[in-house]
Amino acid sequence: MAAAVTTSIAMLVANSGVDGFVSPSPTCGSSMIHHTAPSAFSRSAVGSLKMSADDEIAKLRAAAQKAREEAAALAKEMGKDLETETTAVAVKTPEKNLSKADAISLSSSVDFDEGDAAAQSQALDGLVESGDFSLWKAAATGAAGTSSQAPLRPYPVSLNFLEQRSGGKLTGESLGVSGEMDVTLDDFKDATIAVTLGSTILAIAALAVLPENIGATVCYLIALVPVGFIAIGSTAPSIIAGAIASFQGTADDQTQRENRICRHEAGHFLCGYLCGLPVKAYSIGDTGFPCVEFHPSAEGEASGREFTSEEIAALSVVAMSGSVAEVLSFGQAKGGENDLLELNGLMRRSKEFIGAQKEQDLTRWGALAAYNIIQANMDKYEVLVEAFKEKKSVAECVAAIEAR
């Protein structure tokens, strides 16, 4: 009976090729089943399971890649950049204790006078790598003392959000971007009417009182006054606004004005340095105090090319930093009009199109980012303000920031 069963099974396997069984070995007798069936079945099952698992992994990877692409597209629409999150964190040399004298000695080795952006950046990068300096590019490569690990990553900011995050200090009115100023358009109109009427009365009086030839000459000269007033108002309205403010009694006194100028420029200098922008020009301006101008990037002059989104972000922070510094000290900015105009021109040279809404978002975000950076480095900022009041050089201002 056993022999018959064995023969039947062997014939069945040979004829039908049932999975899980193999034909008896030629060296074995016909009365014996070859016990390789369980092993072959196991290999087949494992192989099938492995193929199934590989397929599932491939599907999961494809889904993950699709999710990353969708997230990147959504982040780009929101003005964020997720790619920077995957960059490797560089190992930094431990910071050294640096006296003011040592800081001045090191910063003096950097040539700031020629305005060579590449040379400045390379020299300052070397001082950071050696552990001597720590704040150069601190906002571009790290937190710069703020609560954000990427303080130069822009995102949409509304006026309400700006006011909330700054404790009510930064508003459209305080920054001078709401259209409400100490000197209004009506003030300009009234001043123009007053100058015109005053000049007319004086011209008539000159003709009536003075000798004929002299009166006519004086009349013509007085007639030029309204023309000159309108010409100055068209090309340099801040001059007329300053005169009106002085007449109204809303202008700063000399001491406050000088303090405002130094704090404004110190805000620019601190944020520009922490954003990693090389100094292009530094000189004593018409105000009698230093005025700083930065290159748009480490590459230097940007004539003939468009700006990247990263460059626009850094420039937005630096442009708004002067007004923010004024607000922190006086509650109201008065010297940011030119900064806003310059920022508007820079945004028009962006590689990525910046519409009206995004321009407003970037401007408000720049103000908030500047606020966070200055607040986080207030001790350095105050030292820098004193350096500007004393009309220190660029190397001395850098030393004031880096000394610790």
Side-chain angles (χ1 to χ4, degrees):
M1 182 71 177
V5 172
T6 302
T7 304
S8 298
I9 293 175
M11 292 177 63
L12 180 62
V13 171
N15 293 333
S16 61
V18 177
D19 292 339
F21 293 93
V22 296
S23 300
S25 173
T27 58
C28 297
S30 61
S31 62
M32 184 176 182
I33 299 178
H34 186 56
H35 293 284
T36 60
S39 176
F41 179 79
S42 299
R43 284 195 299 270
S44 176
V46 170
S48 177
L49 289 173
K50 184 176 180 180
M51 291 177 62
S52 178
D54 289 342
D55 291 341
E56 290 297 324
I57 292 173
K59 290 179 180 179
L60 289 174
R61 286 177 176 172
Q65 179 62 28
K66 183 178 180 181
R68 282 194 296 269
E69 292 174 354
E70 292 176 351
L74 181 60
K76 187 174 182 181
E77 291 179 3
M78 296 176 63
K80 298 183 179 181
D81 184 10
L82 297 181
E83 294 180 359
T84 57
E85 295 183 354
T86 62
T87 57
V89 178
V91 179
K92 293 185 177 180
T93 304
E95 297 178 5
K96 304 175 183 177
N97 291 327
L98 198 65
S99 67
K100 185 176 180 180
D102 291 337
I104 292 177
S105 176
L106 290 170
S107 62
S108 297
S109 66
V110 182
D111 186 2
F112 295 104
D113 297 330
E114 294 299 325
D116 188 332
Q120 280 186 44
S121 297
Q122 185 177 2
L124 291 170
D125 288 344
L127 290 172
V128 171
E129 291 173 2
S130 65
D132 293 311
F133 283 4
S134 61
L135 292 179
W136 165 250
K137 285 186 180 178
T141 59
T146 68
S147 59
S148 172
Q149 293 302 313
L152 294 186
R153 180 182 298 169
Y155 50 87
V157 174
S158 65
L159 281 174
N160 289 334
F161 184 79
L162 177 63
E163 184 174 356
Q164 292 172 3
R165 293 301 296 269
S166 63
K169 296 178 181 178
L170 301 183
T171 64
E173 292 77 14
S174 66
L175 289 171
V177 298
S178 65
E180 298 182 11
M181 300 181 294
D182 291 339
V183 179
T184 65
L185 184 60
D186 288 336
D187 293 329
F188 278 98
K189 291 179 180 178
D190 294 340
T192 303
I193 294 173
V195 169
T196 303
L197 288 177
S199 299
T200 301
I201 294 172
L202 288 175
I204 294 173
L207 289 174
V209 175
L210 297 176
E212 185 175 350
N213 292 335
I214 297 176
T217 302
V218 173
C219 178
Y220 284 126
L221 292 176
I222 294 175
L224 294 175
V225 173
V227 177
F229 181 86
I230 293 174
I232 295 173
S234 301
T235 57
S238 59
I239 297 177
I240 303 298
I244 295 173
S246 298
F247 181 79
Q248 293 176 337
T250 58
D252 295 335
D253 59 32
Q254 185 64 23
T255 302
Q256 188 177 30
R257 177 175 174 272
E258 292 176 355
N259 189 26
R260 181 183 292 275
I261 292 170
C262 291
R263 289 189 172 277
H264 181 103
E265 293 299 324
H268 282 316
F269 196 104
L270 179 66
C271 288
Y273 185 81
L274 267 62
C275 288
L277 300 184
V279 175
K280 179 180 180 180
Y282 182 86
S283 60
I284 305 297
D286 297 336
T287 61
F289 292 92
C291 179
V292 63
E293 182 181 357
F294 292 95
H295 286 287
S297 70
E299 298 178 7
E301 291 294 336
S303 57
R305 74 172 179 87
E306 297 176 324
F307 295 117
T308 65
S309 57
E310 292 79 9
E311 290 171 338
I312 290 294
L315 292 170
S316 299
V317 175
V318 176
M320 297 304 299
S321 58
S323 295
V324 170
E326 287 189 49
V327 172
L328 289 175
S329 299
F330 305 101
Q332 177 73 41
K334 294 184 178 181
E337 295 86 357
N338 291 335
D339 295 329
L340 287 171
L341 290 174
E342 185 176 356
L343 178 60
N344 179 265
L346 293 171
M347 287 183 178
R348 294 182 185 279
R349 294 174 57 189
S350 172
K351 286 183 179 179
E352 182 181 347
F353 174 73
I354 299 178
Q357 182 59 49
K358 188 172 182 179
E359 182 176 334
Q360 293 179 12
D361 287 336
L362 273 172
T363 302
R364 292 190 287 258
W365 168 83
L368 181 58
Y371 171 84
N372 292 331
I373 291 173
I374 294 175
Q375 285 284 76
N377 298 275
M378 185 58 71
D379 56 337
K380 302 293 184 182
Y381 170 70
E382 291 295 342
V383 174
L384 194 57
V385 170
E386 294 303 316
F388 268 80
K389 288 182 179 180
E390 297 173 8
K391 304 177 183 180
K392 298 291 188 179
S393 65
V394 177
E396 290 172 314
C397 289
V398 170
I401 296 174
E402 293 288 0
R404 53 188 178 275

